[in-house]
Amino acid sequence: MSLRKKLIAGNWKMNKTSADAASLAEEIVAAVGKTTDVDIVVCPPFTSLDAVGKALEGSSIKLGAQNMHPEASGAYTGEISAAMLRSLFAGYVILGHSERRTYFKETDAFINQKTLAALKSELKPILCVGETLAERESGDTLKVVQTQTEQGLEGVSKEQITSVVIAYEPVWAIGTGKVATTEQAQEVHAFIRSLLVKLYGEALAQKVRILYGGSMKPANAPELLAQKDIDGGLIGGAALEARSFVDLIKSAAVAG
Ligand code: PEP
């Protein structure tokens, strides 16, 4: 029996109006809203957090955001703080997604500030790490993942680490239909676990969930989720349709 309950998180990215997002949330609630053997999180755009939060009321499904700013308030036009997310009952926040690293030039230091601010506000960070295709092909996968993990977690205490979720998302597998092989994914997940052991000790490292993300679909999920260090999935495309998202949750329940 694993120490870690599987977690399936949907990243809806910049998709769906508030009304469409609420409908999708209602469909998911109708299918798996009472599930307790898998933790489920949906992360709609900021503009849909309120409507989706209402649709999730009374269910076991948690609300998450896709980003936040590290400062509590101030002159940061277009940005959203941790306290604002908490006021809408978000419990999780995706940080350091590769799309934010690439298109918005987010650095490990900035992502680390967000991680610390999220934890201070009792938001659980889903910290994304992962290599590009060029980095994998030049043999730098583990080095890149190590830097992103260590710098992202700088200053996170032993008391806080079990509130952090790490998502290993090889950039070349996101939205491309190219999924990492189970061996490739498990190798990096085990490596991340070994980094956590060095930073926090064996007992705490065994409690931290490490999700896989990158073209996870109902067809490839069972094999990935059966790996020792794969504790769930961060799902993009397949989270936008209730049926595939629910199938992924069912696979996670089977994998236990
Ligand atoms: C993601 O963006 O976090 C992701 C994993 O996307 P997809 O499932 O579409 O590859």
Side-chain angles (χ1 to χ4, degrees), residues 4 11 19 28 31 37 56-57 66 126 149 193 202-203 215 220-221:
R4 304 176 294 273
N11 173 12
I28 298 168
D37 46 358
L56 300 180
E57 263 171 31
Q66 298 172 19
I126 301 176
T149 305
R193 182 99 47 219
E202 180 71 30
S215 298
N220 57 36

Side-chain angles (χ1 to χ4, degrees), residues 72-242:
S73 62
Y76 300 98
T77 302
E79 293 293 321
I80 306 274
S81 74
M84 292 171 187
L85 298 178
R86 291 292 294 151
S87 75
L88 292 172
F89 306 104
Y92 289 79
V93 59
I94 298 170
L95 297 176
H97 191 281
S98 63
E99 287 151 18
R100 297 217 55 92
R101 292 177 189 265
T102 306
Y103 304 137
F104 303 98
K105 308 286 173 250
E106 290 196 6
T107 63
D108 287 316
F110 190 49
I111 295 160
N112 175 245
Q113 286 177 35
K114 298 184 192 210
T115 303
L116 297 177
L119 288 165
K120 204 167 148 200
S121 291
E122 297 186 350
L123 271 174
K124 293 183 167 66
I126 301 176
L127 174 64
C128 301
V129 300
E131 80 289 359
T132 62
L133 187 58
E135 288 162 343
R136 175 162 283 271
E137 285 175 345
S138 55
D140 289 334
T141 297
L142 299 185
K143 194 173 90 192
V144 168
V145 167
Q146 177 163 9
T147 302
Q148 292 178 350
T149 305
E150 289 179 349
Q151 296 193 5
L153 293 176
E154 181 90 44
V156 173
S157 69
K158 286 194 169 182
E159 288 68 38
Q160 291 172 318
I161 190 61
T162 52
S163 296
V164 176
V165 175
I166 296 178
Y168 168 57
E169 300 208 307
V171 180
W172 47 272
I174 296 179
T176 57
K178 280 188 205 155
V179 65
T181 64
T182 48
E183 293 75 21
Q184 284 171 326
Q186 169 57 27
E187 182 200 10
V188 180
H189 281 237
F191 176 69
I192 294 171
R193 182 99 47 219
S194 76
L195 295 175
L196 293 170
V197 170
K198 270 192 236 145
L199 293 171
Y200 298 99
E202 180 71 30
L204 288 173
Q206 289 302 334
K207 291 187 182 162
V208 178
R209 288 181 290 193
I210 308 173
L211 312 183
Y212 170 79
S215 298
M216 197 190 251
K217 306 259 176 318
N220 57 36
E223 210 183 322
L224 286 162
L225 292 168
Q227 302 304 304
K228 184 168 157 281
D229 291 290
I230 301 186
D231 306 314
L234 179 56
I235 321 294
L240 289 172
E241 205 241 316

